[in-house]
Amino acid sequence: MKTSLFCSRLFAVALLGAGVVGCGSSSTTSTTDADGSPAAESSLTGDIQINGSSTVLPIGNAIKEQFDAEFPNVNITVGGAGTGNGFKDFADKTTDISEASRPIKAGEWEACKASGVEFVELPVAYDGLTIVIHPENDWVKQLTVDQLKAIFVGSEAANKWSEVDPSWPDREIKIFAPGVGSGTYDYFHEVLAKKDKAALREDMTLNEDDNVLVQGVAGNKDSIGFFGVAYYEENKDKLQAVPVVNPDSGEAVLPNKETIASGEYAPFSRPLFIYVNAESLNKAQVQAFVEYFLENVPETAEKVGYVRLPEEVMARSVANLDALKTGSHFVDADGESRSGSVVDIFTDENLISE
């Protein structure tokens, strides 16, 4: 099915410029001259199709650019149509890798089973779903989960800021949110409303492109929106992140590397994933890219604004890829989604393969 662990290690050596790799159907050369210029171009070729989360997209694009420099003859397409849309393509076998800002759902897994798609589930980074307002908004200092529910949940949600807090302006709230095909939308809905079997309000301005949401919030003083922390970090000169009150500690917390990794930024700290079609790992270029992804994602995730996962989680991702362990840790045998920290859930005991 996949190249052996031995071949994987040889590949890692090749990435360091050691010479020729001869595993599976392809070979690679990655040597350099004394002046650092490429002496031989990689012979690894083929296509890789990736689609899914716009939150994970900055990581995917950054890894692609790095991989392109090492293996210029591999053609990689990376899309950001949203986690839900990505899983549809994944189940239809039109992609090799699905990027996701939430774990796969039972229904999406059933679609994969129906089409014969087995997958390896790989957590790759932490994100803090970030609530943003206009920088000239001088009345919102923090938000509780109940206040977020008042703004975002149901047909009776607040239309004006004064309906959330009487001391706030009597002006209409403008809301910008990811599209319903987005994992960020799903995660936000799950945190605020799924337990109550309620829906998010339907009159929000939705878009799958997080850059459009950034422009929407930045363009109106009465606006509010949410997306992954990387998009806030990239646009923090024209946005203001809102501290969210941790329901357990009662403390208002801003998303940053420390608070996301510790879980203090609750309830909006979450893991990000890639899902890899096991059959696609028969293709040398996919096998090479996924190994490269796992090797480089801790540093790359931090560069684009996300947070690296604990070493024990990344080590398990690498081990699961090497052993080709298929299935999900985040859906139990009864088809229910597991909730909790990625450290507690991403264990061998929780892996369900069928």
Side-chain angles (χ1 to χ4, degrees):
M1 175 65 73
K2 63 191 282 292
T3 53
S4 67
L5 179 62
F6 176 68
C7 290
S8 299
R9 298 297 170 255
L10 279 180
F11 171 76
V13 172
L15 291 179
L16 297 174
V20 177
V21 172
C23 302
S25 60
S26 296
S27 62
T28 59
T29 54
S30 184
T31 57
T32 57
D33 286 327
D35 62 359
S37 60
E41 188 175 89
S42 164
S43 62
L44 190 66
T45 62
D47 298 329
I48 304 174
Q49 300 295 329
I50 306 170
N51 198 4
S53 167
S54 60
T55 301
V56 185
L57 185 63
I59 300 176
N61 278 334
I63 297 284
K64 173 188 177 302
E65 290 179 6
Q66 298 168 42
F67 190 82
D68 283 345
E70 299 275 356
F71 304 99
N73 296 319
V74 177
N75 179 39
I76 306 173
T77 301
V78 185
T83 298
N85 295 325
F87 277 129
K88 289 177 183 176
D89 288 349
F90 192 62
D92 290 340
K93 297 185 177 180
T94 58
T95 56
D96 302 295
I97 299 169
S98 199
E99 297 180 331
S101 59
R102 57 158 173 78
I104 194 168
K105 296 179 180 178
E108 293 163 338
W109 193 3
E110 289 300 321
C112 289
K113 291 177 183 176
S115 58
V117 173
E118 294 183 274
F119 55 80
V120 183
E121 180 181 64
L122 302 170
V124 294
Y126 276 134
D127 176 39
L129 189 154
T130 303
I131 316 298
V132 295
I133 55 178
H134 192 278
E136 294 180 9
N137 180 323
D138 57 3
W139 57 91
V140 176
K141 306 302 181 186
Q142 62 184 47
L143 286 169
T144 66
V145 170
D146 284 342
Q147 287 175 318
L148 288 168
K149 289 181 178 178
I151 295 171
F152 287 98
V153 177
S155 58
E156 303 300 321
N159 292 314
K160 295 182 177 181
W161 286 106
S162 57
E163 295 173 23
V164 183
D165 185 319
S167 67
W168 292 350
D170 188 34
R171 294 203 298 268
E172 185 178 356
I173 305 172
K174 303 290 185 182
I175 303 177
F176 296 86
V180 296
S182 164
T184 302
Y185 181 100
D186 286 339
Y187 189 84
F188 197 71
H189 176 221
E190 181 174 345
V191 169
L192 292 187
K194 194 172 182 180
K195 184 178 179 181
D196 301 326
K197 298 182 179 180
L200 299 183
R201 63 191 301 165
E202 296 181 349
D203 58 347
M204 301 185 291
T205 298
L206 304 179
N207 201 294
E208 302 289 358
D209 187 339
D210 293 295
N211 292 304
V212 174
L213 304 180
V214 168
Q215 296 305 318
V217 177
N220 190 304
K221 185 176 179 179
D222 293 312
S223 62
I224 187 169
F226 61 91
F227 35 70
V229 69
Y231 287 91
Y232 165 68
E233 290 293 336
E234 187 177 349
N235 297 281
K236 61 195 315 178
D237 58 324
K238 48 191 171 187
L239 298 171
Q240 182 180 176
V242 180
V244 175
V245 177
N246 182 309
D248 295 326
S249 69
E251 298 292 327
V253 180
L254 277 170
N256 58 46
K257 183 169 66 176
E258 289 75 23
T259 61
I260 293 170
S262 68
E264 184 183 359
Y265 182 66
F268 293 116
S269 296
R270 57 176 178 167
L272 305 176
F273 301 84
I274 61 172
Y275 287 77
V276 185
N277 186 321
E279 187 175 353
S280 293
L281 289 170
N282 284 320
K283 297 184 282 190
Q285 72 274 17
V286 176
Q287 171 78 20
F289 179 77
V290 175
E291 290 192 356
Y292 188 91
F293 198 114
L294 294 183
E295 183 177 343
N296 290 279
V297 72
E299 291 77 17
T300 302
E302 289 188 337
K303 286 179 181 176
V304 301
Y306 295 117
V307 178
R308 68 173 63 202
L309 288 170
E311 289 184 7
E312 64 184 285
V313 175
M314 288 307 305
R316 191 165 297 126
S317 285
V318 171
N320 284 2
L321 177 67
D322 285 342
L324 197 63
K325 292 184 177 180
T326 61
S328 178
H329 306 71
F330 291 84
V331 177
D332 66 22
D334 296 323
E336 298 294 325
S337 296
R338 301 182 197 273
S339 59
S341 75
V342 65
V343 175
D344 293 336
I345 296 176
F346 191 61
T347 63
D348 287 343
E349 293 75 18
N350 285 335
L351 178 63
I352 305 295
S353 297
E354 294 182 357

